[in-house]
Amino acid sequence: MKIDVHCHTYPVEYVKEVEKLSGKEPEKVLFYADIPIPLWDSAENRLAKMDELGIDVEVLSTTLPPQSFGDTADLHLAKMTNDFNANLCSKYPKRFKAFANVPLFNPSNAIKELNRAITDLGMIGIATGTFISRIPLTSPEYLPFLAEVNRMRLPIHIHPSLPIGIEVMRKYKLGGLLGFLFETTMTATKMVFDGVFEKFPDIVLILSHFGATIPFIFQRVDDGFKGFPEIRENISKLPSEYLKRFYYDTASSFTRPSFMCTYDFAGPDKIIFGTDDPYARNRLIEIKIRQLGELGLSDEVLEKIYSENAKKVLNLKM
């Protein structure tokens, strides 16, 4: 079985609404980057692609704008996308699951929509960017929301938005190629330093793109903990001890050395299959699946990566 935890839907009406609210081309709003948005066409086409690739289940998510358009509009966008994905899950319960969107700029509304999405719509976790209107996820106003996520023991799938400094990344598509990785690394590390996982030990992150640079630089981060007292103010253990609790999805190009860097850091129980469908075309996903099979991993480990780890973190019974 293959469960894909990193795949997107972009309903036409939702993208039109983003364009209406922002007055800009939606691809420049959703990611602050000129990345063409692959609009949703039909469930039949997505299922056909999944069948061709041997993917049994997709855990759907829809990227919300990394900025607020006001409480009413933000809530409307979250509800619109949650209802769309929930409808797909209801029609095809064995093929689609979904992460919930929340209007995070207003934490009270976020808590209400989170409970609706999980309790009423049957969603299995949360998908969010790394900031909302440049306010990071660790800001004090978000603590009540994080407390509710912790109470519900839900995983959060973190997908990067582009970092401060995007103006120097416009050329060559550097925002998506490099900026995403810097943003994920910064966000996850700062959440650890801010003590989020000391306060809320039942929150688990799923990090996109193999966790960006975290598996490569974790020793540098640990050495910083040892050398700088301010890093030790909110946490009692080495940063890597928190980072190793996270899950790391495979939604990125990789080589054997780069894969093994994440594998050696996180271990076989914390790597989780993701494709970045529909941004990743069939050929790229086929290459990823072939590469995973050529790593020399045991069938037991591959089963963990493809499905068992997802079942565990998402509490899936299938």
Side-chain angles (χ1 to χ4, degrees):
M1 171 176 275
K2 291 183 177 68
I3 301 173
D4 182 357
V5 304
H6 187 143
C7 41
H8 304 285
T9 61
Y10 292 101
V12 173
E13 291 305 314
Y14 163 67
V15 174
K16 287 181 179 178
E17 190 71 9
V18 170
E19 185 172 20
K20 176 183 174 183
L21 288 167
S22 66
K24 300 177 182 178
E25 297 173 52
E27 58 266 23
K28 294 182 178 179
V29 177
L30 292 176
F31 290 113
Y32 290 175
D34 298 325
I35 301 174
I37 296 174
L39 297 175
W40 179 267
D41 49 10
S42 70
E44 291 72 22
N45 285 346
R46 179 63 69 89
L47 289 168
K49 179 177 181 179
M50 291 165 62
D51 289 342
E52 182 179 343
L53 295 166
I55 295 172
D56 299 279
V57 179
E58 284 195 344
V59 184
L60 306 172
S61 60
T62 306
T63 306
L64 287 181
Q67 65 189 80
S68 173
F69 295 113
D71 290 350
T72 300
D74 292 352
L75 182 58
H76 173 60
L77 291 177
K79 285 186 172 182
M80 175 186 286
T81 55
N82 287 337
D83 289 344
F84 180 88
N85 288 331
N87 183 55
L88 287 171
C89 295
S90 177
K91 287 183 177 179
Y92 307 96
K94 294 183 178 180
R95 305 303 303 273
F96 294 130
K97 304 297 179 184
F99 289 122
N101 275 333
V102 294
L104 198 53
F105 197 72
N106 182 318
S108 177
N109 283 349
I111 290 171
K112 292 176 184 176
E113 181 59 15
L114 172 64
N115 278 275
R116 184 184 82 94
I118 301 299
T119 303
D120 298 342
L121 302 183
M123 293 184 166
I124 58 175
I126 304 155
T128 186
T130 46
F131 61 79
I132 305 295
S133 292
R134 295 299 182 193
I135 299 175
L137 298 179
T138 54
S139 294
E141 57 262 49
Y142 294 148
L143 291 179
F145 172 76
L146 292 174
E148 181 67 1
V149 174
N150 186 73
R151 184 189 71 79
M152 298 175 78
R153 299 187 173 213
L154 294 171
I156 303 176
H157 189 276
I158 299 283
H159 192 289
S161 306
L162 290 190
I164 294 172
I166 179 57
E167 61 276 1
V168 301
M169 300 184 193
R170 296 288 185 194
K171 194 174 182 181
Y172 307 124
K173 302 291 191 290
L174 290 177
L177 290 174
L178 302 180
F180 278 178
L181 305 183
F182 302 151
E183 184 67 14
T184 297
T185 301
M186 179 72 74
T187 297
T189 303
K190 192 170 188 301
M191 289 180 80
V192 169
F193 286 177
D194 281 345
V196 168
F197 307 103
E198 288 268 343
K199 297 183 187 80
F200 308 119
D202 291 321
I203 292 178
V204 176
L205 299 187
I206 302 171
L207 298 182
S208 300
H209 313 128
F210 284 103
T213 69
I214 285 172
F216 183 74
I217 66 166
F218 78 90
Q219 188 59 56
R220 182 180 179 90
V221 175
D222 279 354
D223 288 345
F225 171 86
K226 298 171 188 175
F228 301 114
E230 65 183 285
I231 296 177
R232 301 194 294 272
E233 289 177 2
N234 300 312
I235 56 177
S236 58
K237 297 177 285 191
L238 287 172
S240 61
E241 293 193 37
Y242 303 91
L243 296 169
K244 288 180 179 181
R245 291 171 45 196
F246 304 161
Y247 287 76
Y248 296 78
D249 81 34
T250 67
S252 182
S253 302
F254 65 89
T255 62
R256 179 180 178 83
S258 62
F259 176 91
M260 294 310 298
C261 182
T262 303
Y263 184 88
D264 290 342
F265 169 71
D269 295 328
K270 293 301 174 69
I271 298 178
I272 192 167
F273 183 62
T275 66
D276 217 353
D277 185 24
Y279 286 103
R281 306 303 182 189
N282 285 34
R283 182 183 63 84
L284 292 176
I285 298 174
E286 288 168 353
I287 290 172
K288 183 190 305 294
I289 293 171
R290 188 192 76 231
Q291 285 179 306
L292 286 170
E294 293 173 347
L295 290 169
L297 303 174
S298 69
D299 290 343
E300 180 184 3
V301 168
L302 285 174
E303 186 177 14
K304 287 182 177 183
I305 292 171
Y306 277 131
S307 62
E308 294 306 309
N309 293 341
K311 290 179 186 179
K312 181 178 179 182
V313 68
L314 301 175
N315 196 29
L316 294 175
K317 312 296 183 187
M318 53 186 0

